[in-house]
Amino acid sequence: MNIGFIGLGIMGKPMAKNLIAAGHALAVYDINDAPVRELEKMGAKAGSSAADAASGCALIITMLPNSPQVKEAVLGENGVIHGAKAGSILVDMSSIAPRAAQDIAAELAKKGIEMLDAPVSGGEPKAIDGTLAIMAGGKPEVFDKVKDVLLEMGSSAVLCGGIGAGNIVKLANQIIVALNIAAVSEAFTLAAKAGVDPQAVFSAIKGGLAGSTVLNAKAPMVLEGNYKPGFRIELHIKDLQNALDTAHELGVPVPLTSQIMEIMQALRVDGKQKDDHGGIIQFYERLAGVKVRGGGWKP
Ligand code: NAD
C-alpha cells in the first residue's frame, strides 16, 4: 500500500521502519530533516511537506507531539488536507485531545477524507518491536480497512468507539501509568530511607499483587539511575493536561491526576522535563533527602 507517514520522532521512526519492512511504499515527512534522510536510505520517498507526503496515498499516518502539531500538519497551509485524495484515510496515532481529533475529522470529512484516532501504548521498545497496543476511534468500516496495517506496528488494535474514543482510552492509560509510577516511586523511596536495598524490594514484590508492567519497566531504570527517555516527562505533562481538560469538560473530578500533574510540574521547574517519566522518583528523593540509586538528588 502507498502510505504517507508524518512525524518521525522516537515513536514514528521505528513505526515507519516496520511498515517499510512489511513491504509498503512510504512517503515520509518531518520538520526535522535527519530522520527523513535516514528513512530515504531505506527506500522511502522524502516528502517536501505533509501535503506532498500525503499525495497519492491511500493511507496517511501522523505521529506528532500534540493537538496543535497535528492540526498544523493536517489542516495547515501545507497540510495533509491539501495533498490527500477523497477516499483516503488519515490515521492519527499521536496522543492528542479527543475534542481535537473530532474537530480534525470533521474538517477532513468535508473533503471526503476519513479519519481514525489511534494512539498507542508501549513506548519506544514496543514501537521498535512492532508490538504496540493500539486503541482506536472511528467508523468500524474504516477501521476494518486499516486494521492489518495497524497490526504491522502493534500486537493489538482495538476499536473503542467513535472518533475521539481512541484518545479517551489513551487518557485513561496515561492516568493509570502516571499514578502507578508515582506509587512505585513513593514506595521505593520509603524502603531506601529505611535502609532496605531497592533491588530486594523489586525482587520480592514483582511476582505479587503490586507487580505491574510499569514496575517491570521502570524499577530497573530507577535502580540504575537511568532516566534517558523513553517517554519524556514533558509529553506526560501534555497528556495529563489533556486528561484534566477533558475530565473537567465532562464533569469528572480527577483528584489524583491533579496531584501527579503538580509533581511533574515541580520536576519541570527543576529542569527534568526531558527525563523519562521513570524520573518521577527524583521528586520523592528530594522530598525525603535520600537517593534510591543513581542520578537523583545530590544532598
Ligand atoms: P517526538 O517528539 O520524539 O517526535 C515527534 C516528531 O514530530 C518529531 O520528529 C518532530 O520533529 C515532528 N514534528 C513536530 N511538529 C511537526 C509538524 N508540524 N510537521 C511534521 N513533523 C513535526 O515524540 P514521540 O515520543 O515520537 O511521540 C509522538 C506521539 O506519540 C506523542 O503524542 C506522544 O505522546 C505519543 N507517545 C509517545 C510514547 C513514547 O514512549 N515516546 C509512547 C506512546 C505514545
Side-chain angles (χ1 to χ4, degrees), residues 147-194:
K147 189 175 178 191
D148 287 348
V149 178
L150 296 181
L151 289 175
E152 284 158 357
M153 295 176 283
S155 54
S156 69
V158 178
L159 184 65
C160 304
I163 186 78
N167 276 293
I168 292 283
V169 176
K170 178 67 184 178
L171 293 182
N173 183 86
Q174 292 306 80
I175 291 171
I176 293 167
V177 169
L179 291 172
N180 206 330
I181 296 175
V184 168
S185 301
E186 209 164 291
F188 272 60
T189 307
L190 168 68
K193 192 140 189 192

Coordinates of all heavy atoms in Angstrom, one line a residue, residues 147-194:
K147 N -6.9 -2.2 9.7 CA -6.5 -3.0 10.8 C -5.2 -3.8 10.6 O -4.3 -3.8 11.4 CB -7.7 -3.9 11.3 CG -7.4 -4.6 12.6 CD -8.5 -5.4 13.1 CE -8.1 -6.0 14.4 NZ -9.1 -7.1 14.9
D148 N -5.2 -4.4 9.4 CA -4.0 -5.2 9.1 C -2.7 -4.4 9.1 O -1.6 -4.9 9.6 CB -4.1 -5.9 7.7 CG -5.2 -7.1 7.8 OD1 -5.6 -7.4 8.9 OD2 -5.6 -7.5 6.8
V149 N -2.8 -3.2 8.6 CA -1.6 -2.3 8.6 C -1.2 -1.9 10.1 O -0.1 -1.9 10.4 CB -1.8 -1.0 7.7 CG1 -0.6 -0.1 7.8 CG2 -2.1 -1.4 6.3
L150 N -2.3 -1.6 10.8 CA -2.0 -1.3 12.3 C -1.3 -2.4 13.0 O -0.4 -2.2 13.8 CB -3.3 -0.9 13.0 CG -4.1 0.3 12.5 CD1 -5.4 0.5 13.3 CD2 -3.2 1.6 12.5
L151 N -1.7 -3.6 12.6 CA -1.1 -4.8 13.3 C 0.3 -5.1 12.8 O 1.0 -5.9 13.4 CB -2.0 -6.0 13.1 CG -3.3 -5.9 13.9 CD1 -4.2 -7.1 13.7 CD2 -3.0 -5.8 15.4
E152 N 0.8 -4.3 11.8 CA 2.2 -4.4 11.4 C 3.1 -3.5 12.3 O 4.3 -3.6 12.4 CB 2.4 -4.0 10.0 CG 2.0 -5.2 9.0 CD 1.6 -4.7 7.6 OE1 1.6 -3.5 7.3 OE2 1.3 -5.6 6.8
M153 N 2.4 -2.7 13.1 CA 3.1 -1.8 14.1 C 2.8 -2.2 15.5 O 3.5 -1.8 16.4 CB 2.7 -0.3 13.9 CG 3.1 0.2 12.5 SD 2.5 1.9 12.3 CE 0.8 1.6 11.9
G154 N 1.7 -3.0 15.7 CA 1.3 -3.3 17.0 C 0.9 -4.8 17.2 O 0.7 -5.5 16.2
S155 N 0.8 -5.2 18.4 CA 0.4 -6.6 18.7 C -1.1 -6.6 18.9 O -1.7 -7.7 18.9 CB 1.1 -7.2 19.8 OG 1.0 -6.4 21.0
S156 N -1.7 -5.5 19.2 CA -3.2 -5.4 19.3 C -3.7 -4.1 18.8 O -3.0 -3.1 18.9 CB -3.6 -5.6 20.8 OG -3.3 -4.5 21.5
A157 N -4.9 -4.1 18.2 CA -5.6 -2.9 17.7 C -7.0 -3.1 18.0 O -7.7 -4.0 17.5 CB -5.3 -2.7 16.2
V158 N -7.5 -2.3 18.9 CA -8.9 -2.4 19.4 C -9.7 -1.1 19.1 O -9.3 0.0 19.4 CB -9.0 -2.6 20.9 CG1 -10.4 -2.7 21.4 CG2 -8.2 -3.9 21.3
L159 N -10.8 -1.3 18.4 CA -11.7 -0.2 18.1 C -12.6 0.0 19.4 O -13.3 -0.8 19.8 CB -12.6 -0.5 16.9 CG -13.5 0.7 16.5 CD1 -12.7 1.9 16.0 CD2 -14.5 0.3 15.4
C160 N -12.4 1.3 19.9 CA -13.0 1.5 21.2 C -14.3 2.3 21.2 O -15.1 2.5 22.1 CB -12.1 2.3 22.1 SG -10.5 1.4 22.3
G161 N -14.7 2.9 20.0 CA -15.9 3.7 19.8 C -15.7 4.6 18.6 O -14.9 4.4 17.8
G162 N -16.5 5.7 18.6 CA -16.4 6.6 17.5 C -15.2 7.5 17.6 O -14.3 7.3 18.5
I163 N -15.0 8.4 16.6 CA -13.8 9.3 16.6 C -13.6 10.0 17.9 O -14.6 10.5 18.5 CB -13.9 10.3 15.4 CG1 -12.6 11.0 15.2 CG2 -15.1 11.2 15.5 CD1 -11.5 10.3 14.6
G164 N -12.4 10.0 18.4 CA -12.1 10.6 19.8 C -12.0 9.5 20.8 O -11.3 9.7 21.9
A165 N -12.6 8.3 20.6 CA -12.6 7.3 21.7 C -11.2 6.7 21.9 O -10.9 6.4 23.0 CB -13.6 6.2 21.3
G166 N -10.4 6.7 20.8 CA -9.1 6.2 21.0 C -8.3 7.1 22.0 O -7.6 6.6 22.9
N167 N -8.5 8.4 21.8 CA -7.8 9.3 22.7 C -8.3 9.3 24.1 O -7.6 9.6 25.1 CB -7.7 10.7 22.1 CG -6.5 10.8 21.2 OD1 -5.3 10.7 21.6 ND2 -6.8 10.9 19.9
I168 N -9.6 9.1 24.3 CA -10.2 8.9 25.6 C -9.5 7.7 26.3 O -9.1 7.8 27.5 CB -11.8 8.7 25.6 CG1 -12.5 10.0 25.1 CG2 -12.3 8.3 26.9 CD1 -12.6 11.1 26.1
V169 N -9.4 6.6 25.6 CA -8.8 5.4 26.2 C -7.3 5.7 26.5 O -6.8 5.3 27.6 CB -8.9 4.2 25.3 CG1 -8.2 3.0 25.8 CG2 -10.4 3.9 25.1
K170 N -6.7 6.5 25.6 CA -5.2 6.8 25.9 C -5.1 7.7 27.1 O -4.2 7.5 27.9 CB -4.7 7.6 24.7 CG -3.2 8.0 24.8 CD -2.2 6.9 24.9 CE -0.8 7.4 25.2 NZ 0.2 6.4 25.3
L171 N -6.1 8.6 27.4 CA -6.0 9.4 28.6 C -6.1 8.5 29.8 O -5.4 8.7 30.8 CB -7.1 10.5 28.6 CG -7.0 11.6 27.5 CD1 -8.1 12.6 27.6 CD2 -5.6 12.3 27.6
A172 N -7.1 7.6 29.7 CA -7.2 6.6 30.8 C -5.9 5.9 31.1 O -5.4 5.7 32.2 CB -8.3 5.6 30.5
N173 N -5.3 5.5 30.0 CA -4.0 4.8 30.1 C -2.9 5.6 30.8 O -2.2 5.2 31.6 CB -3.6 4.4 28.6 CG -2.3 3.7 28.5 OD1 -2.3 2.4 28.6 ND2 -1.1 4.3 28.4
Q174 N -2.9 6.9 30.4 CA -1.8 7.8 30.9 C -2.1 8.1 32.4 O -1.1 8.3 33.1 CB -1.8 9.1 30.1 CG -1.3 8.9 28.6 CD 0.1 8.2 28.6 OE1 0.1 6.9 28.8 NE2 1.1 8.9 28.5
I175 N -3.3 8.2 32.8 CA -3.6 8.4 34.2 C -3.1 7.2 35.0 O -2.4 7.3 36.0 CB -5.1 8.6 34.4 CG1 -5.6 9.9 33.9 CG2 -5.5 8.5 35.9 CD1 -7.1 10.1 33.8
I176 N -3.4 6.0 34.5 CA -3.0 4.8 35.2 C -1.5 4.7 35.3 O -0.9 4.4 36.3 CB -3.7 3.5 34.6 CG1 -5.2 3.6 34.8 CG2 -3.1 2.3 35.1 CD1 -5.9 2.6 33.9
V177 N -0.8 4.9 34.2 CA 0.6 4.8 34.1 C 1.3 5.8 35.1 O 2.2 5.5 35.9 CB 1.2 5.0 32.7 CG1 2.7 5.1 32.7 CG2 0.7 3.8 31.8
A178 N 0.8 7.1 35.0 CA 1.5 8.1 35.8 C 1.3 7.8 37.3 O 2.3 7.9 38.1 CB 0.8 9.5 35.5
L179 N 0.1 7.4 37.7 CA -0.1 7.2 39.1 C 0.6 5.9 39.6 O 1.0 5.8 40.7 CB -1.6 7.1 39.4 CG -2.3 8.4 39.3 CD1 -3.9 8.3 39.3 CD2 -1.9 9.4 40.3
N180 N 0.7 4.9 38.7 CA 1.5 3.7 39.0 C 2.9 4.0 39.2 O 3.6 3.6 40.2 CB 1.3 2.7 37.8 CG 1.4 1.3 38.2 OD1 2.2 1.0 39.1 ND2 0.8 0.4 37.5
I181 N 3.5 4.9 38.4 CA 4.9 5.3 38.6 C 5.1 6.0 39.9 O 6.1 5.8 40.7 CB 5.5 6.2 37.4 CG1 5.5 5.4 36.1 CG2 6.9 6.6 37.7 CD1 5.8 6.2 34.9
A182 N 4.1 6.9 40.2 CA 4.2 7.7 41.5 C 4.2 6.7 42.7 O 4.9 6.9 43.6 CB 3.1 8.7 41.5
A183 N 3.3 5.7 42.6 CA 3.2 4.8 43.7 C 4.5 4.0 43.9 O 5.0 3.8 45.0 CB 2.0 3.8 43.5
V184 N 5.0 3.6 42.8 CA 6.3 2.8 42.8 C 7.4 3.7 43.4 O 8.2 3.3 44.3 CB 6.7 2.3 41.4 CG1 8.2 1.9 41.3 CG2 5.8 1.3 40.9
S185 N 7.4 5.0 43.0 CA 8.5 5.9 43.4 C 8.3 6.2 45.0 O 9.3 6.2 45.7 CB 8.3 7.3 42.7 OG 8.5 7.1 41.3
E186 N 7.1 6.4 45.4 CA 6.9 6.7 46.8 C 7.3 5.5 47.7 O 8.0 5.6 48.7 CB 5.3 6.9 47.0 CG 5.0 7.8 48.1 CD 3.5 8.3 48.0 OE1 3.2 9.1 47.1 OE2 2.7 7.9 48.9
A187 N 7.0 4.3 47.2 CA 7.3 3.1 47.9 C 8.8 2.8 48.0 O 9.4 2.4 49.0 CB 6.5 1.9 47.3
F188 N 9.5 3.0 46.8 CA 10.9 2.7 46.8 C 11.7 3.7 47.6 O 12.7 3.4 48.2 CB 11.4 2.7 45.3 CG 11.3 1.4 44.6 CD1 10.1 0.8 44.5 CD2 12.4 0.8 44.1 CE1 10.0 -0.5 43.8 CE2 12.3 -0.5 43.5 CZ 11.1 -1.1 43.4
T189 N 11.2 5.0 47.7 CA 11.9 6.0 48.5 C 11.8 5.6 50.0 O 12.7 5.7 50.7 CB 11.3 7.4 48.2 OG1 11.3 7.6 46.8 CG2 12.1 8.5 48.9
L190 N 10.6 5.2 50.4 CA 10.4 4.8 51.8 C 11.3 3.7 52.1 O 12.0 3.7 53.1 CB 8.9 4.3 52.0 CG 8.6 3.6 53.3 CD1 8.7 4.6 54.5 CD2 7.2 3.0 53.2
A191 N 11.4 2.6 51.3 CA 12.3 1.5 51.5 C 13.7 1.9 51.6 O 14.5 1.5 52.5 CB 12.1 0.4 50.5
A192 N 14.1 2.8 50.7 CA 15.5 3.2 50.6 C 15.9 4.0 51.9 O 17.0 3.7 52.5 CB 15.8 4.1 49.4
K193 N 15.0 4.9 52.3 CA 15.4 5.6 53.6 C 15.4 4.8 54.8 O 16.1 5.0 55.8 CB 14.4 6.8 53.7 CG 14.9 7.8 54.8 CD 14.7 9.2 54.5 CE 15.4 10.1 55.5 NZ 15.1 11.5 55.4
A194 N 14.6 3.7 54.7 CA 14.6 2.7 55.8 C 15.8 1.8 55.8 O 16.0 0.9 56.7 CB 13.3 1.9 55.8

